[in-house]
Amino acid sequence: SPTTCVTPSTENIDGSLLRIAIIHTRWNYEIVESLVRGAKETMISHYNVKPENIIVQSVSGSFELPFAAKSVIQSSTLFHAVICIGVLIKGSTMHFEYISEAVSQGIMRVGLDTNVPVIFGVLTCLNDDQALERAGLGNTQEKHNHGIDWGHCAVEMAHKNIN
Ligand SMILES: O=c1[nH]c(NC[C@H](O)[C@H](O)[C@H](O)CO)c([N+](=O)[O-])c(=O)[nH]1
């Protein structure tokens, strides 16, 4: 579908030397878990990224993702890319808008400030069904696990980061 992330010719990237961090929220964990799985399995199966080189950490909610991404990048371990995964679902207040804006600006800033690519893997959905579909969990034809796209994107950006 036109909305699917069209991954450029990245199939010949050898990911065996890449180290990737995935930071995910515990909020909306059932959906987040599916997104994390999609990203991990894509990097391992398509690019031969070693499972032991995919470091997974969790935080409470999406608002914590930028801080955690920055601290993992500034740790003693070198990461070639970081994927931040969270799910924001609109409630009945403006909370969603404020967090979504802060998180997207924050995640972009960490990447630019640290020169380590940080992939924006935060679903900002108006309801549960939208989130389920985008994690490949819905029961409609539209379902597509966006974690897969984020795995492709992380390898492509990590590869650029090395070369
Ligand atoms: O990741 C999420 N965090 C949410 N809130 C928590 C927020 O990300 C922080 O963890 C919290 O404000 C403490 O800083 C959400 N809602 O409030 O709806 C949500 O839908 N998703």
Side-chain angles (χ1 to χ4, degrees), residues 25-28 60-65 86-91 95-96 99 103 122:
T25 65
R26 293 185 293 275
W27 260 80
N28 299 312
S60 174
S62 296
F63 195 83
E64 281 70 47
L65 288 169
V87 174
L88 282 159
I89 298 175
K90 175 131 180 73
H95 195 218
F96 168 86
I99 298 183
V103 171
V122 179

Side-chain angles (χ1 to χ4, degrees), residues 48-87:
N48 196 28
V49 175
K50 302 293 174 228
E52 61 270 23
N53 286 340
I54 301 176
I55 310 302
V56 181
Q57 286 186 4
S58 77
V59 290
S60 174
S62 296
F63 195 83
E64 281 70 47
L65 288 169
F67 185 89
K70 187 163 185 179
S71 56
V72 97
I73 289 167
Q74 292 179 334
S75 71
S76 52
T77 309
L78 169 70
F79 288 101
H80 300 107
V82 176
I83 309 176
C84 289
I85 295 181
V87 174

Side-chain angles (χ1 to χ4, degrees), residues 2-162:
T3 58
T4 303
C5 169
V6 179
T7 51
S9 59
T10 56
E11 64 275 358
N12 56 359
I13 288 180
D14 171 18
S16 60
L17 297 178
L18 296 180
R19 191 177 302 107
I20 310 283
I22 296 178
I23 303 175
H24 70 80
T25 65
R26 293 185 293 275
W27 260 80
N28 299 312
Y29 181 65
E30 178 209 341
I31 299 172
V32 166
E33 194 276 333
S34 176
L35 294 164
V36 170
R37 190 178 343 103
K40 273 181 80 172
E41 288 173 356
T42 298
M43 294 191 287
I44 293 166
S45 59
H46 282 259
Y47 302 103
N48 196 28
V49 175
K50 302 293 174 228
E52 61 270 23
N53 286 340
I54 301 176
I55 310 302
V56 181
Q57 286 186 4
S58 77
V59 290
S60 174
S62 296
F63 195 83
E64 281 70 47
L65 288 169
F67 185 89
K70 187 163 185 179
S71 56
V72 97
I73 289 167
Q74 292 179 334
S75 71
S76 52
T77 309
L78 169 70
F79 288 101
H80 300 107
V82 176
I83 309 176
C84 289
I85 295 181
V87 174
L88 282 159
I89 298 175
K90 175 131 180 73
S92 54
T93 68
M94 288 291 288
H95 195 218
F96 168 86
E97 283 79 357
Y98 290 111
I99 298 183
S100 303
E101 174 61 17
V103 171
S104 50
Q105 292 296 334
I107 287 175
M108 179 179 287
R109 189 155 63 83
V110 172
L112 296 174
D113 290 353
T114 64
N115 294 319
V116 173
V118 182
I119 306 307
F120 181 72
V122 179
L123 297 183
T124 51
C125 300
L126 299 178
N127 55 56
D128 292 0
D129 288 345
Q130 284 186 351
L132 289 164
E133 272 176 14
R134 286 156 182 76
L137 299 173
N139 48 22
T140 70
Q141 287 311 314
E142 289 308 304
K143 72 178 182 179
H144 165 70
N145 186 339
H146 284 236
I148 295 167
D149 305 331
W150 303 335
H152 285 297
C153 193
V155 168
E156 180 188 0
M157 295 308 286
H159 185 65
K160 284 183 197 308
N161 192 22
I162 284 187

